[in-house]
Amino acid sequence: MASSSISTGVELVRRRVASTIPDATTLALERGPVEPESHHLPLSPGLLMPEGNVLAVEVHPRAIERCPRIDLELLLSDGPRVVRGPYIERLFGGVLDLALQTNTPTYFSVRYGKGEAASSRDRELAEDPSSPPQLLHRARITGLRPGTTYHYQVAITGPNGQRSELPLVPLHTPPASGRPLRFVVYGDSRSGHSVHAQVVQSLLVEDPDLILCTGDVVERGTEDGDWDRYFAVAAPLLERIPIFMAPGNHEYALRRQGAQRLFQLWDRLFVPQPPAAAVASGKLDAGAAALSVVPRDKSGLDEATLPRGYYSFDLSSVHFVALDSNQARSADQLRWLDADLSRAALRRPRAIIVWMHDGPYSMGWHGDNGVLIRDYVPLFEKHRVNLVFSGHDHDFERGRRGQLNYIVTGGGGAELRPLKCGVPGKRRCKHPPLAFFNEHNYVSVEVLPDALRVCPKRIDGTALEPCQILRR
């Protein structure tokens, strides 16, 4: 389904319709959205008359035998409002990156300080009022100390001076090196919004230092409506706990075009990655590269031509690596991973954690990934990766093959899928998992001085199985 809207003879919106003038026989270029889609139209002076205004909407089917349908709601606002955010793009190394999107161009400011309440010592960052107002805003707060409680409060101001303040948000920074670190892993929420909302509430109670997301948080990455719904459900988490995402195949949909939307929303997380040679030579450290876009004047590299989708960082002496399983066949990603893990070993991390969407091992619906087993598992074992997380299969699975511990946690909301072997009526599993549950779930992990404490949980926070201790 496609649509276009016209008011007083001016076309305002066109989606999924060719650029030519449509008529009754024009078909949509692709199907319509599953989630409600919003279009924000600024009303400039002279666009509307005192009376007699007409908003005309055309709806075109994807196929000639289809009968298109539309549910339309018209809302008026007397000022700018926030449509996504505020949300944390990154929080580590004493740096907090915030982002926010508004329905009309605005100016953005943020006040912040120590503790859970505002004080006279708070500082403020503000956009330059002499520059054009923007829809997507970003702010970087530096100088934060580990293991400390802070707060921030965002305000937006329209070009006409209308100002709105959002509620104050408390948060805490990750602990210092060597201290216990707590993180949560979940993914595959997609369109399971009611389940996802329960996961969000449980994770707020958990209050981890960070969250690793195994991807597939939307049905189609190209759909604004899908992203609007994700931000609406996950908002309480996004504003106060950093969520580090690995791209899923649904983020790449449609036809791999959705990845650009993902990278735009988390621009400071999915930074362009340097070639492995630059990392291995020591000219550019892989961990440092995740802190900012590769500078042209230092590396001689053009970030516009560099790949995105995978990254790494160190937090509390733990090395985290996010991989893009959509790029599993990429020689660049594979070489980068080898160089990154080699450099990380020199820093002697107390643990190495890898996460991605489609992992090497699974006895679920999709099964093993042969490319990852052939190309990536040898690197995981060579560099002594402690634990690999993935999603893609909508279940919970814990196992160990060779020297590699792995967990599949794809139970964040999407429909559940059963074990494909080892149950009555199905073949015997060649590599039986150590544990398998066909339930929605998330995994809580605590990094201790000499071990990982891994606790799989149902979405209400109760134990899915007893906590496991993985010695390092």
Side-chain angles (χ1 to χ4, degrees):
M1 182 187 74
S3 63
S4 60
S5 302
I6 299 176
S7 175
T8 60
V10 178
E11 184 173 272
L12 303 175
V13 177
R14 180 188 288 249
R15 293 297 302 273
R16 307 177 189 88
V17 181
S19 58
T20 57
I21 299 176
D23 58 28
T25 64
T26 301
L27 298 178
L29 300 176
E30 58 187 77
R31 69 169 176 83
V34 175
E35 300 294 341
E37 198 170 53
S38 299
H39 302 288
H40 305 283
L41 310 174
L43 298 178
S44 57
L47 182 62
L48 295 181
M49 299 179 292
E51 59 182 23
N53 297 286
V54 175
L55 177 66
V57 180
E58 292 184 10
V59 184
H60 298 262
R62 177 68 179 88
I64 195 169
E65 65 274 10
R66 299 277 183 172
C67 182
R69 173 186 170 183
I70 186 171
D71 293 321
L72 181 66
E73 184 179 25
L74 185 62
L75 302 175
L76 296 178
S77 173
D78 59 358
R81 63 185 181 88
V82 175
V83 293
R84 294 174 183 167
Y87 62 98
I88 297 173
E89 286 196 81
R90 299 184 310 182
L91 173 56
F92 59 83
V95 177
L96 169 64
D97 284 314
L98 291 172
L100 178 104
Q101 189 171 349
T102 52
N103 63 336
T104 58
T106 60
Y107 296 101
F108 166 92
S109 64
V110 56
R111 292 181 60 86
Y112 67 96
K114 283 187 177 181
E116 295 187 348
S119 75
S120 58
R121 296 183 178 181
D122 286 357
R123 298 181 178 183
E124 184 174 22
L125 296 174
E127 292 175 330
D128 183 359
S130 64
S131 62
Q134 305 292 325
L135 292 172
L136 183 60
H137 309 266
R138 286 189 162 90
R140 173 168 289 178
I141 298 172
T142 61
L144 303 182
R145 295 184 176 181
T148 304
T149 298
Y150 290 90
H151 65 270
Y152 71 87
Q153 186 171 24
V154 166
I156 57 173
T157 305
N160 58 359
Q162 290 178 298
R163 178 182 171 90
S164 299
E165 290 189 350
L166 277 64
L168 183 145
V169 179
L171 57 84
H172 62 83
T173 55
S177 297
R179 304 290 297 174
L181 175 73
R182 297 187 308 111
F183 64 91
V184 164
V185 189
Y186 88 103
D188 289 274
S189 52
R190 284 174 50 183
S191 59
H193 307 306
S194 60
V195 173
H196 188 200
Q198 294 179 67
V199 173
V200 167
Q201 292 306 310
S202 291
L203 298 195
L204 288 172
V205 174
E206 296 270 354
D207 193 25
D209 298 307
L210 69 157
I211 296 171
L212 309 182
C213 180
T214 58
D216 272 12
V217 300
V218 294
E219 285 290 341
R220 290 201 301 187
T222 53
E223 295 296 338
D224 280 332
D226 288 12
W227 286 111
D228 287 343
R229 193 63 178 270
Y230 168 75
F231 275 92
V233 174
L237 284 181
L238 290 164
E239 67 181 8
R240 65 185 300 168
I241 302 174
I243 299 179
F244 293 91
M245 191 140 359
N249 56 295
H250 281 263
E251 275 78 62
Y252 267 62
L254 185 68
R255 294 182 292 274
R256 302 180 71 88
Q257 297 172 7
Q260 299 309 311
R261 186 69 52 85
L262 173 68
F263 300 156
Q264 178 190 41
L265 290 169
W266 278 271
D267 179 72
R268 290 182 173 174
L269 179 61
F270 293 104
V271 297
Q273 292 297 345
V279 177
S281 66
K283 295 180 180 178
L284 202 63
D285 181 73
L291 291 175
S292 61
V293 173
V294 180
R296 287 190 179 98
D297 58 341
K298 292 184 179 181
S299 67
L301 301 172
D302 183 357
E303 62 262 29
T305 65
L306 298 176
R308 293 179 180 231
Y310 47 92
Y311 57 92
S312 68
F313 59 93
D314 289 344
L315 196 60
S316 302
S317 301
V318 178
H319 189 60
F320 291 92
V321 182
L323 294 177
D324 186 351
S325 55
N326 300 284
Q327 300 184 52
R329 298 181 183 275
S330 165
D332 287 338
Q333 179 174 238
L334 191 64
R335 286 192 292 263
W336 172 90
L337 175 64
D338 194 16
D340 174 83
L341 293 178
S342 295
R343 293 284 297 177
L346 300 178
R347 299 191 292 273
R348 301 180 65 85
R350 53 178 173 157
I352 299 177
I353 306 297
V354 174
W355 78 107
M356 67 194 79
H357 181 62
D358 184 6
Y361 300 128
S362 173
M363 291 292 98
W365 185 267
H366 293 99
D368 293 348
N369 185 309
V371 172
L372 292 170
I373 293 174
R374 182 193 67 203
D375 297 338
Y376 288 76
V377 168
L379 292 181
F380 297 155
E381 294 184 335
K382 169 187 172 183
H383 295 288
R384 299 182 179 181
V385 170
N386 297 92
L387 189 54
V388 173
F389 287 95
S390 63
H392 201 40
D393 276 321
H394 307 163
D395 52 46
F396 171 83
E397 178 181 337
R398 177 175 58 83
R400 180 180 175 89
R401 294 200 206 174
Q403 301 301 310
L404 187 65
N405 293 302
Y406 74 92
I407 287 178
V408 178
T409 172
E415 76 283 357
L416 296 172
R417 293 169 179 167
L419 190 68
K420 70 174 184 179
C421 61
V423 294
K426 296 188 178 181
R427 62 179 174 81
R428 176 178 173 273
C429 291
K430 184 178 180 181
H431 301 284
L434 298 175
F436 183 93
F437 295 92
N438 192 26
E439 296 186 50
H440 290 109
N441 67 89
Y442 65 90
V443 181
S444 176
V445 181
E446 187 173 11
V447 183
L448 302 173
D450 61 349
L452 300 175
R453 186 170 182 263
V454 181
C455 302
K457 298 186 178 183
R458 298 182 179 89
I459 60 175
D460 63 0
T462 59
L464 193 60
E465 67 165 347
C467 295
Q468 305 295 312
I469 302 297
L470 301 181
R471 299 293 175 185
R472 296 189 283 109

